[in-house]
Amino acid sequence: MKLFKKMFKQKTTDSISSNSEEQQKIKISLDQNIKYINETLGNSDDLVSRIISVGQENRMEIGIFYIEGLVDTQHINDFILDPLMVRLENIDQQNDLPTVIQKSIVSVAKVQDAHHLDTALSSLFSGQVIILFDGFTKGFTVGLSGGKSRNVTEPSQESVIRGPKEGFTETIRTNTALIRRKINSPNLWVESMNIGTVTETKISLMYINGIVNKKVLKEVKTRLDKIEIDGILESNYIEELIQDKTFSPFPTINNTERPDVVSASLLEGRVAILVDGTPFVLVVPSLFIEFFHAAEDHYQRWDFSTFIRTLRIMSFFITLLAPSLFIAITTFHQEMIPTPLLISLAAQREGVPFPAFIEALMMEITFEILREGGIRMPKSVGQSISIVGTLVIGTAAVEAGFISAAMVIVVSITAIASFTIPAYNMSISIRMIRFIFMGLAASFGLFGITIAFIGLILHLCSLRSFGVPYMSPFGPFNVQDQKDSLFRFPLWGFKTRPRLISQQNRKRMESRYPKPPFDK
Amino acid sequence: MTKKIIILLLPCILLLFITGCWNRRELNDLAISLGEGIDLEGDSYRISTQIVIPGEIASKSTGSSSNIPVRLFTTKEDTVFEAMREMTTVSPRIIYHSHLRVLVIGEELARKGIDEVLDYFSRDHELRTDFYIVIAKDTSAENVLSILTAIEKIPANSIVSSLETSEKTWAPTTAVKLDELIQDLVTEGKNPVLPGIEIIGDPSNGKSKQNIESITPSSYLKYSSIAVFKKGKMLGWLDREQSKGYNLIMNNVESTIADVRCPDKKKFNFEIKKSQAEVTANVRNNTPKINVSIKAEGNIGEMNCELDLTKQTTIEKLQKLIESDLKHVVQDAIKSVQDEYSVDIFGFGDTIHRSDKNSWKSLKKEWNEKHFSELEVDVKVDVKIRRLGKISNSFLTEIKE
């Protein structure tokens, strides 16, 4: 513990000090401004500075600055250079030429005044074009952000059979637009801020005003304000810095790649945190059971969805308990196994040199290595891992007599079951806890499993996600919210929003049981 | 605070390592015992244990099981527990009793008294109470356990399976588990019975593989009859019909066959599908009287008599015939037990105890010897023929020469 504290306490004295300087005002001389910009950016290669002379006798010099790749060059040609060079030809030098240009020459929607070079420079990196004038201490920035970004594609993680197939991209504007398209309401509010002293990453909070839990929103804002870090490269940076409990294997913040999932969460009164540069959007607060829900649960019929959810809960228990139960029962409680099964299991174990626990541990670790290898290895050699994996785990280990066939079955079922859990972060945490269960099962049998399970439940009940009990609606138990937790009731039963997420505007709809029209 | 947590956590983690996995047994360290036998040899017990060799049972190359799937270990000691522990000197693995299916008791030991050996079997924590107990008729338990069987590879399983199936479809056998046996032993006015198993053929032939390689095994096991006990001591055997009568009274019949003679001396079979027996008692002037009423339902199983089964009167006539046949079987069973053994295996004493506990106090002293053997038993049988099978009248009646 002390070690941890020491590690965390270490303070860095040298911080990047660009912000501490006084704001640099725009100089009257264009050359000085160019010099300053070049100095600040270290003569970076991707900075394009274009000086044009306009007006009669080309007396007027205008500097245009942008970062190549962040702006749409074609638009600069069409909407800035072309009007400036053509339409300004016959204009006399006027006192407020910049205002004239801003108001009637540049045909771009997003134009902002700039008086300070530093603020103008920071907007340079979000894809703005700076226009400065020789002889004026005033310029403006033009929003022409463009350049290459990934298209909206089907999300790779949360695929569905039925349902929208679009996923978030790395561009935050696209992402907010995707959500806006789902919720056409003026009450869908977006609040943005930049976090990261160096990266200045754009973070947007999205929520529906009037539905959102204001306390949670406030809490999210205060937690975000406290972040002091040099860079945010993925939403996990935010997640780890604002989550309720660090030392817990369970995630208390959900993430998703799907706009429909975010929209559904917003409608329930949650807050979405979008981070520029990643397609993974955070949703708070998140409950334990929600990590077992898939988007598709609401797009398929309710009975089928309920069945699938039950299946997932079963898979959860299989992932958590199958290897440890197998170890406990075969090494401590043989009397619990039916006689024919016992004989068949004993026959498989004949000649196996390791205790059941070591056997299970070896196989589970082999599987984890295979899984990790499958993700990390280059796609072009992906074939070989499956072949080697099946050979190692499947046949060779059994035929060599190192591993009993029953253990292979148990490990495989555990592996498959762990992949039915829709949230990857949840399935990882369960797979980790599984090893603790196995160790206790090997030392104390079913007693060990019972103790570990009680400990697990105590821990889960102690967790909170932004003040909402993690295990609700089971602990605290809430009858109404059972409609969308373990079961998925028919949609006409979804009269209210979840009680513990948001307390205001709880009514979703007048419940009307669908009936055929009356016969006369 | 952190110190406290470390102080608390450290022993917990260390505990994990010092447990040494107490009581942990790998599956391949166990010798799974499915059948055990006890014989009397001189003044000491001879214990035989049938151990399964799992590799031979679940071998992947089905059909060509090259070896014998079980081994029999025997030891001799003064007490059962001692003998069991001595078994480790001959067995390479710990004998694991939890999956015991059957306990065979030699007839010699049974005649001397089984109550003492049962103490170990009901006391030891590993043993369950749901294994069957059978008596080896005219032979030793060791011999019974050393007969190899073909369809069920494990002989102990074979003994249990044929006991269970025959009890379901063939009334003369009765299956008794340890808890039932002990219940019968301690109940006043009730004495236990146990099924008897005998070896047909030479016992020494059954030990080797040749026995199961032949289509007609030279020696095999067969359930023959029921052994009558007076508390722990065996007195003798009931024959087939008597056993059937016993089971009809005891409500043990799930399904069986009644073999009935028609007026024209030919035979027909009645398949009992459901039989419900009710035993009531009343005591008048210190003389007890027992009423047995049996309600049986079933089908015609086989019909060789020349009768018109389409007529209601014929069915009624047949029902009367079956009733008198069953009544005869039951009465004969009671009578022969009264005369031969004068021991109340039917639990009539218990019935009287339940219905009239005051008179039982005076009756119980000489119950088996005096009152039971002179007991008046009234038997009523009510038979219903429900179905005739696929055909009504037999085609035999239509064959004309």
Side-chain angles (χ1 to χ4, degrees):
Chain A
M1 278 289 170
K2 263 183 186 168
L3 190 75
F4 273 126
K5 271 182 189 162
K6 256 186 191 171
M7 279 163 64
F8 293 142
K9 261 182 188 169
Q10 216 169 38
K11 270 194 175 172
T12 45
T13 42
D14 50 342
S15 60
I16 292 172
S17 49
S18 60
N19 281 6
S20 57
E21 273 180 27
E22 248 181 72
Q23 290 259 322
Q24 186 79 33
K25 286 198 170 172
I26 295 176
K27 305 256 170 37
I28 198 135
S29 152
L30 185 59
D31 288 340
Q32 273 188 324
N33 286 332
I34 294 172
K35 201 180 154 206
Y36 179 78
I37 291 173
N38 276 328
E39 264 174 26
T40 321
L41 290 185
N43 294 314
S44 291
D45 185 39
D46 56 348
L47 174 74
V48 177
S49 24
R50 174 87 159 84
I51 316 292
I52 54 172
S53 302
V54 294
Q56 287 176 332
E57 297 157 33
N58 292 346
R59 274 176 300 166
M60 176 80 186
E61 286 206 326
I62 300 177
I64 298 165
F65 307 89
Y66 62 94
I67 304 277
E68 204 171 359
L70 292 186
V71 291
D72 198 322
T73 323
Q74 186 63 43
H75 287 171
I76 293 180
N77 295 342
D78 291 352
F79 305 125
I80 298 178
L81 288 178
D82 186 61
L84 281 176
M85 294 168 100
V86 176
R87 289 178 65 187
L88 275 181
E89 216 165 278
N90 302 318
I91 276 184
D92 276 331
Q93 187 161 11
Q94 286 175 354
N95 282 342
D96 54 348
L97 184 72
T99 323
V100 174
I101 291 176
Q102 183 182 349
K103 282 192 173 159
S104 53
I105 305 291
V106 174
S107 50
V108 176
K110 195 176 169 186
V111 177
Q112 274 180 320
D113 279 331
H115 297 282
H116 298 280
L117 267 177
D118 292 308
T119 40
L121 277 181
S122 63
S123 64
L124 203 58
F125 306 118
S126 55
Q128 309 244 26
V129 179
I130 307 178
I131 300 176
L132 298 175
F133 306 91
D134 193 30
F136 292 92
T137 58
K138 179 185 166 192
F140 53 87
T141 59
V142 182
L144 276 176
S145 54
K148 293 274 179 293
S149 67
R150 199 164 60 89
N151 287 333
V152 174
T153 51
E154 197 178 340
S156 56
Q157 206 198 73
E158 301 154 84
S159 50
V160 290
I161 292 175
R162 180 177 173 180
K165 306 257 180 189
E166 59 187 8
F168 287 125
T169 68
E170 280 75 8
T171 324
I172 194 164
R173 258 306 143 259
T174 318
N175 293 351
T176 50
L178 283 172
I179 299 169
R180 280 248 185 241
R181 272 186 220 159
K182 300 247 173 227
I183 305 174
N184 302 321
S185 160
N187 283 328
L188 176 65
W189 288 7
V190 185
E191 277 182 51
S192 296
M193 61 193 81
N194 290 339
I195 298 182
T197 50
V198 178
T199 59
E200 291 283 332
T201 310
K202 188 169 186 184
I203 313 281
S204 291
L205 296 182
M206 279 188 110
Y207 55 88
I208 299 177
N209 187 43
I211 295 177
V212 71
N213 187 342
K214 283 190 175 137
K215 277 186 196 161
V216 171
L217 183 66
K218 206 178 148 202
E219 182 65 29
V220 172
K221 281 184 197 162
T222 43
R223 288 192 198 181
L224 284 175
D225 282 342
K226 281 181 190 160
I227 296 177
E228 244 183 80
I229 192 173
D230 56 349
I232 303 284
L233 300 180
E234 215 279 333
S235 49
N236 185 50
Y237 283 57
I238 300 283
E239 181 178 339
E240 270 192 41
L241 290 168
I242 64 168
Q243 68 189 354
D244 291 58
K245 205 166 192 172
T246 304
F247 297 105
S248 165
F250 293 99
T252 49
I253 296 175
N254 209 344
N255 66 69
T256 179
E257 269 186 283
R258 300 181 57 89
D260 51 328
V261 172
V262 172
S263 308
S265 304
L266 294 181
L267 283 173
E268 284 178 340
R270 287 174 227 261
V271 182
I273 306 170
L274 291 85
V275 177
D276 198 14
T278 177
F280 292 96
V281 172
L282 303 178
V283 174
V284 291
S286 295
L287 310 178
F288 177 73
I289 194 70
E290 280 158 13
F291 291 89
F292 298 91
H293 293 177
E296 206 172 350
D297 290 357
H298 289 93
Y299 307 149
Q300 298 283 4
R301 290 179 48 79
W302 70 274
D303 42 2
F304 177 69
S305 301
T306 304
F307 168 68
I308 295 292
R309 277 190 184 175
T310 325
L311 212 64
R312 287 199 205 111
I313 297 295
M314 263 167 60
S315 309
F316 162 68
F317 283 110
I318 289 172
T319 315
L320 190 65
L321 294 174
S324 47
L325 275 180
F326 186 77
I327 293 170
I329 290 175
T330 56
T331 53
F332 288 96
H333 316 280
Q334 293 94 351
E335 67 274 1
M336 288 176 70
I337 313 172
T339 313
L341 182 62
L342 177 78
I343 293 169
S344 141
L345 288 177
Q348 287 171 30
R349 270 203 64 83
E350 286 296 332
V352 174
F354 307 108
F357 173 57
I358 302 293
E359 208 186 335
L361 207 62
M362 275 176 13
M363 290 304 283
E364 292 289 0
I365 289 174
T366 315
F367 161 69
E368 291 296 323
I369 292 170
L370 276 171
R371 186 189 56 77
E372 185 62 16
I375 298 172
R376 299 295 154 228
M377 83 189 317
K379 284 227 163 58
S380 47
V381 280
Q383 285 282 320
S384 56
I385 199 161
S386 53
I387 295 165
V388 173
T390 36
L391 282 180
V392 168
I393 293 193
T395 28
V398 176
E399 269 173 27
F402 293 156
I403 305 289
S404 63
M407 190 57 85
V408 175
I409 295 169
V410 169
V411 171
S412 323
I413 286 176
T414 314
I416 297 166
S418 77
F419 289 124
T420 60
I421 298 167
Y424 186 64
N425 45 2
M426 179 55 87
S427 87
I428 290 176
S429 54
I430 297 165
R431 280 210 297 266
M432 284 192 311
I433 300 167
R434 180 184 60 179
F435 286 105
I436 301 172
F437 272 77
M438 280 161 63
L440 283 166
S443 349
F444 305 108
L446 285 182
F447 296 104
I449 295 181
T450 315
I451 295 292
F453 204 75
I454 291 171
L456 181 72
I457 287 171
L458 287 180
H459 174 69
L460 280 172
C461 290
S462 77
L463 288 179
R464 269 158 193 279
S465 173
F466 287 81
V468 178
Y470 195 44
M471 285 309 277
S472 63
F474 308 111
F477 188 77
N478 187 327
V479 184
Q480 276 195 1
D481 288 357
Q482 301 298 322
K483 62 181 179 282
D484 192 19
S485 47
L486 270 187
F487 309 101
R488 207 279 269 170
F489 282 18
L491 279 175
W492 45 261
F494 283 52
K495 273 183 257 180
T496 54
R497 306 178 204 285
R499 194 170 71 88
L500 280 168
I501 303 295
S502 180
Q503 279 75 36
Q504 59 168 331
N505 195 354
R506 293 202 51 228
K507 194 165 165 191
R508 280 198 126 147
M509 60 172 163
E510 296 288 342
S511 175
R512 283 218 188 86
Y513 182 88
K515 276 178 212 153
F518 289 109
D519 286 328
K520 279 171 189 172
Chain B
M1 184 60 201
T2 42
K3 230 180 193 176
K4 262 187 194 168
I5 293 171
I6 292 171
I7 288 168
L8 271 169
L9 216 67
L10 213 61
C12 291
I13 295 166
L14 288 176
L15 258 173
L16 270 178
F17 294 100
I18 61 164
T19 53
C21 306
W22 173 75
N23 233 352
R24 189 180 67 91
R25 286 168 301 194
E26 291 295 334
L27 284 182
N28 45 356
D29 295 336
L30 299 177
I32 303 157
S33 148
L34 289 190
E36 258 154 36
I38 307 181
D39 289 304
L40 200 63
E41 203 172 281
D43 278 342
S44 43
Y45 298 118
R46 186 167 188 84
I47 309 284
S48 334
T49 302
Q50 203 179 75
I51 301 297
V52 183
I53 308 169
E56 301 296 337
I57 296 293
S59 61
K60 280 165 213 155
S61 51
T62 42
S64 65
S65 55
S66 52
N67 286 309
I68 293 165
V70 288
R71 288 285 183 282
L72 196 71
F73 295 121
T74 53
T75 48
K76 205 182 109 180
E77 275 303 333
D78 286 346
T79 60
V80 183
F81 194 45
E82 238 183 322
M84 285 291 179
R85 280 297 159 95
E86 210 198 315
M87 204 77 84
T88 48
T89 58
V90 285
S91 159
R93 295 177 180 176
I94 316 156
I95 310 281
Y96 187 63
H97 297 287
S98 285
H99 284 267
L100 187 67
R101 304 291 307 275
V102 62
L103 171 67
V104 186
I105 295 173
E107 189 172 343
E108 199 191 340
L109 173 64
R111 285 196 187 273
K112 208 185 154 223
I114 58 166
D115 22 15
E116 275 171 25
V117 298
L118 290 181
D119 181 74
Y120 165 77
F121 286 96
S122 60
R123 188 180 297 279
D124 193 88
H125 74 276
E126 249 184 25
L127 285 150
R128 299 181 191 169
T129 53
D130 66 346
F131 55 87
Y132 294 104
I133 297 167
V134 297
I135 303 292
K137 190 181 181 184
D138 301 323
T139 182
S140 68
E142 192 187 342
N143 282 339
V144 168
L145 286 175
S146 52
I147 301 288
L148 280 174
T149 51
I151 299 168
E152 283 279 351
K153 281 185 187 171
I154 304 165
N157 269 349
S158 176
I159 292 173
V160 170
S161 305
S162 64
L163 182 62
E164 279 173 348
T165 38
S166 68
E167 195 202 17
K168 269 182 199 154
T169 55
W170 185 241
T173 54
T174 179
V176 181
K177 290 181 175 172
L178 179 72
D179 46 353
E180 293 160 358
L181 174 64
I182 290 173
Q183 189 62 42
D184 283 355
L185 280 171
V186 297
T187 307
E188 281 178 15
K190 173 91 180 79
N191 285 286
V193 296
L194 286 174
I197 194 164
E198 61 182 323
I199 301 171
I200 312 291
D202 187 0
S204 55
N205 285 344
K207 288 179 185 174
S208 67
K209 255 203 86 195
Q210 279 99 25
N211 192 41
I212 52 170
E213 276 173 353
S214 150
I215 192 162
T216 50
S218 52
S219 47
Y220 55 92
L221 297 167
K222 179 182 190 299
Y223 283 98
S224 50
S225 46
I226 293 178
V228 178
F229 278 74
K230 185 173 186 182
K231 289 304 167 191
K233 273 198 182 95
M234 183 185 145
L235 298 179
W237 300 95
L238 295 183
D239 69 13
R240 203 176 98 180
E241 287 301 299
Q242 289 164 350
S243 305
K244 193 197 273 182
Y246 168 81
N247 278 326
L248 278 170
I249 298 169
M250 298 309 291
N251 234 344
N252 282 343
V253 176
E254 217 166 289
S255 168
T256 190
I257 309 292
D259 190 22
V260 193
R261 208 168 278 283
C262 302
D264 60 358
K265 302 295 173 203
K266 283 184 179 168
K267 276 191 167 182
F268 75 95
N269 279 350
F270 174 65
E271 183 194 8
I272 299 176
K273 295 295 269 182
K274 191 179 159 193
S275 158
Q276 191 71 39
E278 208 181 330
V279 181
T280 50
N282 56 52
V283 186
R284 248 180 231 157
N285 306 330
N286 226 16
T287 33
K289 196 185 161 198
I290 293 286
N291 296 305
V292 178
S293 119
I294 297 170
K295 278 181 190 155
E297 286 180 18
N299 315 329
I300 298 290
E302 193 176 331
M303 173 60 68
N304 295 331
C305 321
E306 285 188 18
L307 289 168
D308 188 5
L309 288 178
T310 53
K311 281 184 180 159
Q312 178 71 26
T313 47
T314 330
I315 301 292
E316 276 163 14
K317 214 159 78 188
L318 286 178
Q319 284 177 350
K320 286 266 152 50
L321 283 172
I322 301 163
E323 274 167 18
S324 71
D325 177 78
L326 288 181
K327 190 174 175 180
H328 180 73
V329 169
V330 171
Q331 275 175 335
D332 183 54
I334 298 170
K335 190 94 186 82
S336 57
V337 172
Q338 278 175 330
D339 294 348
E340 232 174 295
Y341 306 114
S342 53
V343 54
D344 181 11
I345 56 172
F346 302 102
F348 290 154
D350 190 39
T351 315
I352 293 169
H353 187 183
R354 278 167 208 240
S355 60
D356 194 343
K357 66 176 179 186
N358 290 327
S359 17
W360 173 246
K361 274 179 191 159
S362 59
L363 289 169
K364 74 174 174 186
K365 273 180 197 164
E366 288 179 299
W367 173 249
N368 280 326
E369 295 76 12
K370 194 177 151 205
H371 300 291
F372 174 71
S373 40
E374 291 162 11
L375 188 67
E376 192 191 334
V377 181
D378 187 33
V379 180
K380 262 187 210 147
V381 183
D382 182 29
V383 168
K384 294 251 154 49
I385 296 175
R386 292 296 186 201
R387 278 163 289 270
L388 301 177
K390 275 201 297 190
I391 50 173
S392 50
N393 276 338
S394 174
F395 66 87
L396 296 173
T397 53
E398 290 172 30
I399 299 172
K400 280 159 196 157
E401 285 175 30

